Amino acid sequence: MKINWGTGIVLAFIGFIAFIMYFIITMNVNDKYDHDLVTEDYYAEELAYQKDIDKLKNAKNLSQNITYKKTEEGLIIMFPSNIDYKKITGKMFLYRPSNKQLDFETTISLSNPHLLIPDSRLVDGRWNIKIDWQYNGNSYLFKESIDY
């Protein structure tokens, strides 16, 4: 059977449409490609963003800021050594951009100048860490993207 140029164009269009439909169906059905919004209350958080900017500015004015390091036990968050760690309060939030179920929040309660996040809680990959902490009536914020 001989295929003329008109039949070839129609077959090319059908092949292209089939490829696009396969791509669309795969992206909608497969959970691997499912990504959620960063937060559910986007607009409420947007209104509180100026407070976060002020907290970040306070943290930059510290002589020492929060540092972290990865160890075999997990991720160690070290608070500034020049302040009394017993007076530190606040919350820490770890956000996993690729999987909402891995996100977690914990209250800061220190018995030594560092906080250990166990290795069992963290999956390898990118994490966004946000530590909102208070010391002597001042609020501070530490935000960082880390690869664990």
Side-chain angles (χ1 to χ4, degrees), residues 62 64-68 77-80 108 131 133 141-142:
L62 290 172
Q64 279 183 301
N65 202 352
I66 293 176
T67 56
Y68 62 90
I77 309 293
M78 294 164 286
F79 287 87
I108 298 172
I131 303 173
W133 59 289
L141 184 63
F142 176 79

Side-chain angles (χ1 to χ4, degrees), residues 62-70 75-81 92 113-117 129 131 133 142-144 146:
L62 290 172
S63 59
Q64 279 183 301
N65 202 352
I66 293 176
T67 56
Y68 62 90
K69 69 177 178 179
K70 181 181 175 182
L75 186 68
I76 296 179
I77 309 293
M78 294 164 286
F79 287 87
S81 59
M92 180 179 65
H114 63 272
L115 179 66
L116 174 67
I117 303 165
I129 185 168
I131 303 173
W133 59 289
F142 176 79
K143 289 170 79 171
E144 186 93 21
I146 59 173

Side-chain angles (χ1 to χ4, degrees), residues 31-38 93-104 121 123-128:
D31 289 336
K32 183 172 111 176
Y33 302 113
D34 187 25
H35 297 290
D36 296 320
L37 293 173
V38 174
F93 181 66
L94 272 93
Y95 165 71
R96 177 73 180 204
S98 63
N99 190 346
K100 181 178 174 180
Q101 282 74 31
L102 295 175
D103 296 353
F104 66 94
R121 294 284 313 257
V123 177
D124 291 344
R126 181 172 173 226
W127 287 89
N128 292 340

Side-chain angles (χ1 to χ4, degrees), residues 31-65:
D31 289 336
K32 183 172 111 176
Y33 302 113
D34 187 25
H35 297 290
D36 296 320
L37 293 173
V38 174
T39 60
E40 296 294 327
D41 299 327
Y42 176 78
Y43 293 108
E45 284 196 21
E46 184 67 28
L47 295 174
Y49 194 66
Q50 183 60 45
K51 292 178 184 176
D52 285 351
I53 293 171
D54 295 338
K55 291 176 187 179
L56 284 168
K57 190 187 302 183
N58 289 343
K60 283 187 179 182
N61 292 334
L62 290 172
S63 59
Q64 279 183 301
N65 202 352

